[in-house]
Amino acid sequence: MESIRIIIAVIALILYAGCSTATDHAARSVDRPSSNFNTAIVIATENSDTSTSDLSDFTEAIYMAGRAMEELVNSYEEGGITAKELSDSADELVASNSGHPILRQAVPQVVSHVTLKALLENNEEIEGIESYVAHHTKMLVDNDSPHAEDIARALNVLDGYWSNDDIQSVAEKAIVNAETYLAMSVAHSEDNLSGTVYEETVPMESLEQSKSSSNTGIGSGIQGLERLLEE
C-alpha cells in the first residue's frame, strides 16, 4: 500500500485587500498582496507520486471558492445576511466542490476558515452563533487544517456549548494538525514554493510573507491550545 503523503500549500487568498484580477486565470495578477487574511492548507493523498504541482489543476476552483466567500463575508459584515445564511452558503460551496479528493479536503479548509474568522470577529454578541462556530471548527479539524490560532479562539467560545471531553478531543487533534503542518513547512524550502497553489496569482514575495504569517499564528495557536488542555 502506498504511504500517505502530506502536501503543504500556503494560499494567499485575495480577500479584504482591494485586489484586481485579469479575466484570464493564467494572467491573473495582484495589485497588492493580501494583508488581512491568508489560509494555509494541508492535503493528504494516498498517491506518493503526487506533488504540489498537481494542485495547479484545482487552483481555479479553490480561488473561486475564496472569492465567493469574500462576497458572502462582506454581505454578512454589512448585515445583508445572517450568521445562518453565511454558514449555509459556505456549506453549499463545500458541497459544490466535492468532486475530487483534493477539493474535498482543500475547499472546506479555505471556506470554513474564512467563515469561522468572520463569525468570531464580526459579532458583538457571540450568543446564538455557537452552532455555526462549532460546525466550522469541526470542519477545519476534520479536514486537517493547521490553523490552531483560530480553532483555539473558537474553543473558548464553545466552552459550555461543547462538553469538556469534546473540547479536549478537538484541541488535541488541532495540535496534531498544526504540528504536522509546521514540521512539513520547515522542510518546505523556498525552491519548493514554486509549486505552491497561487503561484500564478500571488508574487513569490507575498507567498513567503503569507507562509511566515501563517506559521507565526499557528505556533501561537498551539500554545493557546496547550494552555486550554492544562486548565
Side-chain angles (χ1 to χ4, degrees):
M1 180 180 294
E2 294 179 331
S3 60
I4 291 179
R5 174 169 178 165
I6 295 175
I7 300 173
I8 300 301
V10 176
I11 297 188
L13 288 178
I14 304 178
L15 299 177
Y16 320 123
C19 301
S20 64
T21 61
T23 301
D24 182 68
H25 169 66
R28 192 173 275 135
S29 63
V30 178
D31 291 333
R32 53 180 176 151
S34 173
S35 58
N36 298 314
F37 191 87
N38 59 73
T39 289
I41 64 171
V42 175
I43 304 299
T45 173
E46 294 183 357
N47 185 350
S48 60
D49 294 327
T50 302
S51 67
T52 50
S53 61
D54 295 318
L55 294 177
S56 61
D57 291 340
F58 306 100
T59 300
E60 182 71 13
I62 298 170
Y63 174 86
M64 293 306 295
R67 289 309 300 263
M69 283 309 305
E70 174 187 19
E71 294 180 5
L72 288 167
V73 168
N74 286 340
S75 181
Y76 176 62
E77 290 176 343
E78 294 168 359
I81 60 174
T82 64
K84 181 182 187 306
E85 290 170 326
L86 174 67
S87 180
D88 289 348
S89 295
D91 288 345
E92 289 173 6
L93 274 173
V94 170
S96 66
N97 286 280
S98 59
H100 188 279
I102 286 180
L103 293 180
R104 284 199 295 272
Q105 190 175 20
V107 172
Q109 290 181 60
V110 173
V111 168
S112 283
H113 189 210
V114 177
T115 303
L116 184 62
K117 287 179 72 70
L119 291 171
L120 294 175
E121 294 176 0
N122 296 286
N123 274 277
E124 295 181 0
E125 298 293 337
I126 291 296
E127 184 178 356
I129 66 167
E130 293 95 340
S131 63
Y132 313 122
V133 170
H135 172 64
H136 290 287
T137 299
K138 192 172 187 304
M139 286 278 282
L140 289 177
V141 173
D142 288 350
N143 285 285
D144 302 324
S145 171
H147 281 285
E149 72 281 25
D150 295 306
I151 293 169
R153 292 172 60 200
L155 291 181
N156 285 325
V157 171
L158 296 173
D159 183 20
Y161 182 83
W162 274 353
S163 69
N164 289 336
D165 287 345
D166 286 341
I167 287 178
Q168 285 203 334
S169 177
V170 169
E172 289 168 356
K173 177 64 164 63
I175 289 172
V176 170
N177 291 344
E179 288 181 339
T180 299
Y181 166 82
L182 290 179
M184 294 295 293
S185 185
V186 168
H188 198 225
S189 67
E190 181 175 331
D191 290 340
N192 288 334
L193 276 173
S194 61
T196 309
V197 178
Y198 281 83
E199 177 196 3
E200 297 173 357
T201 308
V202 183
M204 181 65 68
E205 181 181 356
S206 296
L207 286 173
E208 293 169 0
Q209 291 172 352
S210 293
K211 180 178 179 180
S212 177
S213 175
S214 292
N215 288 4
T216 298
I218 290 166
S220 297
I222 291 174
Q223 295 175 357
L225 290 171
E226 289 174 339
R227 287 192 296 270
L228 186 153
L229 290 174
E230 292 171 356
E231 294 177 357

